[in-house]
Amino acid sequence: MSGIVEGRVWIVGDSVNTDAMYPAFALKMPYAEAAQHVFHQLRPGWTDEVRPGDIVVAGHNFGIGSSRPVSKLFTELGVAALIAEEFNSLFYRNCINYGLPALTVPGVATAFHDGEIARLDITEGVVENRTTGARFDVPALPAMLLDILDAGGLMPRLARDGYLPA
Amino acid sequence: MGMTMIDKILARASGLDEVQVGQTVAVDVDMAVLIDLQFTTNWVEPLKINDPDKVAVVLDHAVPAPSAEDAVCGQRARAFVGKFGVDRFYDIGRHGICHQVIAENGLALPGQVLACTDSHTCAAGAYNTAARGLGIAEVYSVMCTGKTWFTVAPTIRYELVGEKPEHVSGKDVFLHLAGTYGDATNHNLEYGGPGLGSLPMNDRRTIATQGAEISADFSTFGVDDRCRAALAAVTDRPLVPADPDPDATYTEVRTIDLSALVPYVARPGTVSHNSLPITEIENRRVDQCFIGSCANGQLDDLRIAAEILRGRRVADGVRLIVTPASQAVYRDAMRLGYLQEIADAGGVVTNSTCGACFGYHMGVVGPGEVCLTASTRNFKGRMGSTEAEIYMSSPATVAASAVTGVITDPRKVLA
């Protein structure tokens, strides 16, 4: 994979939990329908504003809470990547495992404002604010995780390897 | 370099002599537990799985089915276990919240790796198991391939000293830690020390379960005689505990004097830096009191509630809802008279399910209501309306508060 994503950013705060992104009442809905409820209590109406290719930038402890596959809802909405100061590890695993690029970048939350353009290189570990020129270098993702992203996530990989119907 | 409990388990599971913090390793998983949420509309029937003896299926979040959609999850689960010959299937009647079922059936053993679709899978850390809540896709992958990956996190060690006082429980210990130290994001928690012996297994389970609330990766306890006795009651398989090396490397060691602890309450929203000794928060009016969930629906939790409610009445205008963690807990609590005492006091005992704790059914709260819960989470909107307030405490504090109608120190009611 090229590992490069460029898009408009949305900023959210610290400790945004999975209940706030994927409420219990949406758990039994198909992903496309459940996706309409992301940030339902934090930022009502956001799902009407977000566009394919956008990037979400968050603060500390992003995604604390349940194992609900929020990253699947983000990809349904067309969100191209997540960047955070710090991820909850279960949430982070879900991002990688559903094929959504996610990068931990200390200091990133205050380096962007809503609507600015971020450029993210997941294989090199670089994030740039194309609007202000700010740049961050972080460790690249381990090869094991890049392989999962490259396959589009675990479910396509399981299909490729003969575990699921193609 | 010395290894922590989790370092040891991950090294063993990945076939390495040692692992280092920051290293990403491929591990063999000993048991994958699928819950009903795995079988939603997005379920795809696999063509093959790794090993049916390393898979268990537990129906817990929405049972008995409160809607036609939920009923279909059960149908898919039954078809799956039938097709692949999965013997460890806990359908309605043998069911319970998966972490309780895991404990009752010896599905989590010392030194092993356990994966499950629920974020509170860290509960099995009480048995020295590297247990993690994982996403639906990842549990799918573990079921199919028998493997997954972990990045080794740094470990915080809790050195427990002193004896836990009566009427202080595992929930209070956890709320003290969360209130004092806050989040442990991307860290493992390890519990041990000379005070461990004064913590019953139900309290260890509560503490391990709640590691998810401070964003920890794994939370594991050492194996002592109490733990061995609990495991001997459910399994005859050999135990291979992962004891930390004497020179294990910790990012921090925090000593907790259990004898100095009091009942705690978490205010709504989060437990991190938001939990206070009850003396600082008493007398808040409550509409609903809830005892249940994987954290506090255990038999001992129901016993504590029954002891407080015996000969007393739930206050007018207050609802007390009690959800045993499993059908086995329900049956034991019925036999021992706890359910009778709870019901006689005006409480409602429900079937075992994750129901109210995750805001789905049987105890959901409305706008403007105040709930005091002994469940797992106090997030805004967790138990229903986003305009409700969810306070969190031990089963003793919840039961005492149900009697008075305001948040109450259980030591006063029992005095």
Side-chain angles (χ1 to χ4, degrees):
Chain A
M1 66 185 287
S2 75
I4 292 173
V5 180
E6 187 164 327
R8 183 177 69 146
V9 306
W10 296 93
I11 313 294
V12 297
D14 290 334
S15 297
V16 178
N17 68 57
T18 53
D19 282 53
M21 296 185 268
Y22 203 149
F25 63 79
L27 285 174
K28 297 294 162 75
M29 296 173 180
Y31 289 134
E33 190 183 348
Q36 299 308 312
H37 302 286
V38 174
F39 297 145
H40 67 112
Q41 55 171 263
L42 184 73
R43 198 162 183 163
W46 178 77
T47 53
D48 297 327
E49 298 179 81
V50 66
R51 291 197 303 257
D54 285 356
I55 293 170
V56 173
V57 175
H60 288 279
N61 204 11
F62 189 32
I64 182 174
S66 300
S67 66
R68 303 171 187 183
V70 179
S71 49
K72 183 68 185 167
L73 305 192
F74 280 127
T75 54
E76 285 286 333
L77 294 169
V79 169
L82 305 183
I83 311 171
E85 301 266 350
E86 176 188 65
F87 286 91
N88 167 277
S89 66
L90 171 49
F91 182 83
Y92 184 79
R93 300 176 76 82
N94 266 332
C95 293
I96 302 302
N97 291 333
Y98 281 98
L100 177 63
L103 204 58
T104 303
V105 183
V108 77
T110 52
F112 281 94
H113 297 91
D114 272 356
E116 292 178 344
I117 304 299
R119 184 176 186 277
L120 174 74
D121 187 332
I122 201 97
T123 52
E124 296 295 325
V126 180
V127 169
E128 292 172 83
N129 183 332
R130 304 288 272 181
T131 312
T132 66
R135 178 189 162 110
F136 298 86
D137 291 273
V138 297
L141 265 55
M144 216 179 288
L145 276 56
L146 288 172
D147 282 348
I148 297 170
L149 284 175
D150 207 23
L154 288 176
M155 298 300 270
R157 190 164 82 170
L158 290 170
R160 184 195 73 191
D161 294 346
Y163 292 102
L164 297 179
Chain B
M1 198 155 64
M3 291 194 283
T4 69
M5 288 177 201
I6 280 297
D7 295 345
K8 285 253 182 100
I9 299 172
L10 295 184
R12 190 188 292 162
S14 58
L16 300 171
D17 291 333
E18 65 171 35
V19 295
Q20 312 261 344
V21 170
Q23 189 177 351
T24 299
V25 294
V27 300
D28 289 322
V29 177
D30 297 285
M31 181 61 68
V33 178
L34 281 61
I35 57 176
D36 46 5
L37 294 183
Q38 188 90 31
F39 297 91
T40 60
T41 52
N42 304 300
W43 167 256
V44 185
E45 181 102 343
L47 299 171
K48 57 182 180 179
I49 66 172
N50 172 55
D51 181 351
D53 289 336
K54 291 186 175 180
V55 174
V57 176
V58 187
L59 305 187
D60 63 359
H61 272 64
V63 291
S67 73
E69 290 79 12
D70 294 299
V72 172
C73 294
Q75 290 178 311
R76 291 194 187 102
R78 288 173 204 117
F80 167 75
V81 299
K83 176 178 174 181
F84 291 99
V86 174
D87 294 331
R88 293 184 176 87
F89 177 43
Y90 303 92
D91 202 351
I92 316 292
R94 301 174 67 203
H95 75 289
I97 302 174
C98 62
H99 314 301
Q100 180 71 27
V101 171
I102 287 166
E104 289 167 359
N105 292 280
L107 304 186
L109 297 180
Q112 291 192 344
V113 177
L114 173 80
C116 169
T117 332
D118 188 89
S119 61
H120 291 110
T121 302
C122 42
Y127 307 104
N128 190 245
T129 307
R132 281 290 312 255
L134 304 173
I136 289 172
E138 189 170 352
V139 172
Y140 223 112
S141 180
V142 171
M143 167 182 78
C144 289
T145 68
K147 289 179 179 296
T148 194
W149 57 274
F150 291 116
T151 301
V152 183
T155 299
I156 297 167
R157 164 91 176 179
Y158 281 106
E159 188 73 9
L160 306 175
V161 301
E163 286 215 4
K164 181 181 75 70
E166 204 184 352
H167 311 313
V168 168
S169 74
K171 187 70 138 224
D172 299 309
V173 175
F174 169 75
L175 291 177
H176 166 71
L177 303 182
T180 305
Y181 300 105
D183 287 325
T185 313
N186 297 313
H187 283 74
N188 300 317
L189 306 177
E190 178 178 301
Y191 297 89
L196 180 63
S198 77
L199 277 184
M201 291 310 294
N202 70 306
D203 285 332
R204 297 184 202 182
R205 280 259 308 287
T206 304
I207 294 168
T209 304
Q210 300 263 243
E213 259 42 61
I214 44 176
S215 213
D217 282 13
F218 294 99
S219 51
T220 48
F221 282 73
V223 175
D224 63 358
D225 290 345
R226 261 187 144 145
C227 182
R228 286 180 188 282
L231 289 168
V234 295
T235 183
D236 54 8
R237 295 167 73 186
L239 308 185
V240 189
D243 297 317
D245 289 325
D247 62 342
T249 305
Y250 298 102
T251 189
E252 200 177 335
V253 177
R254 298 168 181 167
T255 300
I256 306 296
D257 181 3
L258 297 174
S259 68
L261 297 186
V262 299
Y264 271 70
V265 176
R267 293 175 293 190
T270 177
V271 294
S272 294
H273 298 301
N274 201 33
S275 307
L276 299 169
I278 193 162
T279 46
E280 295 176 33
I281 205 167
E282 280 181 288
N283 297 327
R284 180 82 174 88
R285 173 190 67 83
V286 293
D287 298 296
Q288 177 169 303
C289 291
F290 179 76
I291 298 171
S293 84
C294 51
N296 282 115
Q298 302 171 72
L299 186 63
D300 285 309
D301 298 316
L302 271 54
R303 173 183 54 77
I304 289 165
E307 284 169 1
I308 290 173
L309 293 167
R310 189 176 300 147
R312 298 187 174 92
R313 287 285 305 169
V314 172
D316 288 344
V318 176
R319 308 182 297 272
L320 170 64
I321 296 169
V322 179
T323 300
S326 71
Q327 181 73 357
V329 169
Y330 189 106
R331 294 173 64 205
D332 287 342
M334 182 158 55
R335 188 162 42 244
L336 293 163
Y338 305 158
L339 303 189
Q340 185 75 51
E341 288 171 324
I342 292 165
D344 284 349
V348 169
V349 180
T350 79
N351 152 75
S352 169
T353 178
C354 299
C357 174
F358 85 118
Y360 197 73
H361 64 138
M362 292 210 291
V364 175
V365 293
E369 292 195 319
V370 177
C371 181
L372 178 65
T373 185
S375 63
T376 60
R377 292 205 162 122
N378 61 339
F379 292 164
K380 184 181 180 186
R382 173 69 179 176
M383 296 181 74
S385 172
T386 54
E387 295 164 52
E389 291 184 281
I390 313 296
Y391 289 80
M392 191 195 289
S393 71
S394 73
T397 301
V398 173
S401 303
V403 167
T404 61
V406 297
I407 293 177
T408 299
D409 189 333
R411 296 171 300 183
K412 287 184 182 169
V413 172
L414 288 162

